[in-house]
Amino acid sequence: MNLPLIFAAWLAIQPVHSPEDITITKDGIPVTTVNRLDFFNPYIDFPIFDVQKYQRFLDQLDKQISFEAKNARLDHNGNIIPEIAGFKVNRQAFTEQIYANFFDQHSPSLEVPLQTVYPKVDSELLSDIRSFRIGRYFTSFNPQNKNRSYNIKLAAEAINNYVVFPGETFSFNKVVGKRTKAKGYLKAPVIVRGEFSEDIGGGICQVSSTLFNAVDSAGLAIVQRFSHSRDVPYIPPGRDATVSWYGPDFVFKNKYQQPVLIRARTMGRLLIINLYSSEGIQYKPRKIPRPPT
């Protein structure tokens, strides 16, 4: 149903009332105010609904009041922290209310209708995939290098508890996001064109490389992987996976029929990444080189 076209035609035969403000509320509390004629084009003989302007208003309203759903996750002891449902503007219902109010001026205020947003990972799913390990890898780092160690910890936390569903691809850059000072990342050594330098987020390639080996050991499909321009000490030669926000990414695909859970953490001088799934998964593990001792 094309509401803008239907109601624009209806509006053409309706008397246009004098402009009045409408207060938009959530739980009875004012959120914003709009004018009844804000979304109509005033430069033609009869007003036509300005869909683009209205959509921008809806986008902004959603940013103001929506609440993102939170997946269930495991704490450091393996206990399940339950999911939390979110909500967003019910755009269809709200649009119908806006039209009715614009044309009939029923009320000076409108309560925003909301719809529930359910998380992808709930406690039941997490309970089913948290115990059966299908892949594992660990590497060591120097805890005396505080900045690099902290970057490794941050990146590991970013991928921890992430669930990759059947047929879904995992992008390290998309999941971890841009490494910035605002996110807490610090300057540490990086390799640029075969030479050591310093940059924000130095050390996160150890996380992507450790993840690659855990993923490869589980027999998952590697979609994209690049090696550094020189060998790195924490991984066997040729077994690394370099990443950069404006450059290489590490991407893999879950080719199995069950979800795969990533568990990543630092412990002392070790970075440990385990992959879990349901006991019913049919997977083909691979033998890979052990990390340097």
Side-chain angles (χ1 to χ4, degrees):
M1 179 171 59
N2 194 325
L3 282 174
L5 289 179
I6 293 173
F7 281 103
W10 180 32
L11 181 62
I13 60 174
Q14 299 295 316
V16 179
H17 302 288
S18 59
E20 291 183 18
D21 287 340
I22 306 173
T23 301
I24 310 300
T25 64
K26 176 183 175 292
D27 298 327
I29 301 173
V31 175
T32 189
T33 300
V34 295
N35 188 281
R36 282 191 169 87
L37 297 183
D38 275 351
F39 305 120
F40 292 92
N41 189 335
Y43 302 112
I44 51 181
D45 292 338
F46 60 91
I48 296 295
F49 198 71
D50 189 331
V51 177
Q52 291 185 343
K53 187 174 182 180
Y54 178 66
Q55 289 300 325
R56 289 195 296 269
F57 165 74
L58 277 183
D59 292 342
Q60 184 60 40
L61 184 63
D62 235 342
K63 288 180 181 179
Q64 283 183 260
I65 68 174
S66 63
F67 179 79
E68 188 175 356
K70 295 183 179 180
N71 289 330
R73 63 191 191 279
L74 299 175
D75 64 17
H76 291 301
N77 298 317
N79 300 313
I80 294 178
I81 300 174
E83 70 279 6
I84 301 175
F87 55 81
K88 63 181 181 180
V89 175
N90 185 328
R91 296 195 173 205
Q92 177 74 16
F94 185 66
T95 300
E96 292 173 359
Q97 291 182 19
I98 283 286
Y99 273 120
N101 195 292
F102 279 172
F103 302 146
D104 298 332
Q105 299 190 22
H106 289 315
S107 170
S109 66
L110 280 181
E111 176 73 10
V112 178
L114 301 175
Q115 65 184 82
T116 303
V117 178
Y118 295 98
K120 291 179 65 177
V121 181
D122 59 23
S123 300
E124 183 178 359
L125 172 64
L126 197 56
S127 178
D128 186 51
I129 63 173
R130 66 173 174 167
S131 301
F132 188 70
R133 192 172 71 196
I134 63 171
R136 183 175 191 263
Y137 207 76
F138 68 90
T139 56
S140 61
F141 57 90
N142 179 9
Q144 299 304 313
N145 188 330
K146 302 295 185 182
N147 285 10
R148 188 176 186 278
S149 300
Y150 190 72
N151 291 339
I152 290 174
K153 179 176 179 291
L154 281 184
E157 289 174 349
I159 66 172
N160 185 44
N161 278 312
Y162 195 93
V163 175
V164 189
F165 286 84
E168 188 175 70
T169 57
F170 173 99
S171 160
F172 188 89
N173 280 341
K174 287 182 180 178
V175 173
V176 175
K178 190 174 183 179
R179 281 67 79 176
T180 64
K181 286 183 179 180
K183 289 185 177 180
Y185 287 96
L186 306 172
K187 276 194 173 184
V190 296
I191 298 175
V192 180
R193 298 184 182 90
E195 301 295 331
F196 283 104
S197 180
E198 279 208 349
D199 200 2
I200 298 295
I204 64 163
C205 289
Q206 181 160 351
V207 181
S208 55
S209 297
T210 308
L211 177 62
F212 157 61
N213 283 273
V215 165
D216 201 23
S217 74
L220 292 158
I222 308 301
V223 176
Q224 187 178 133
R225 177 184 73 94
F226 299 91
S227 288
H228 289 83
S229 50
R230 61 186 296 172
D231 290 342
V232 289
Y234 52 78
I235 213 85
R239 297 297 303 178
D240 58 322
T242 184
V243 292
S244 173
W245 182 248
Y246 294 110
D249 193 5
F250 170 57
V251 182
F252 71 90
K253 182 176 182 178
N254 180 6
K255 64 181 184 179
Y256 300 130
Q257 298 303 309
Q258 298 291 337
V260 172
L261 168 68
I262 300 172
R263 292 285 281 158
R265 63 169 177 162
T266 57
M267 186 173 64
R269 58 189 292 271
L270 295 178
L271 166 63
I272 304 167
I273 298 182
N274 292 306
L275 303 182
Y276 296 91
S277 189
S278 167
E279 291 185 3
I281 190 173
Q282 295 181 353
Y283 75 108
K284 295 181 180 180
R286 285 169 42 88
K287 188 174 182 180
I288 62 174
R290 294 176 57 84
T293 56

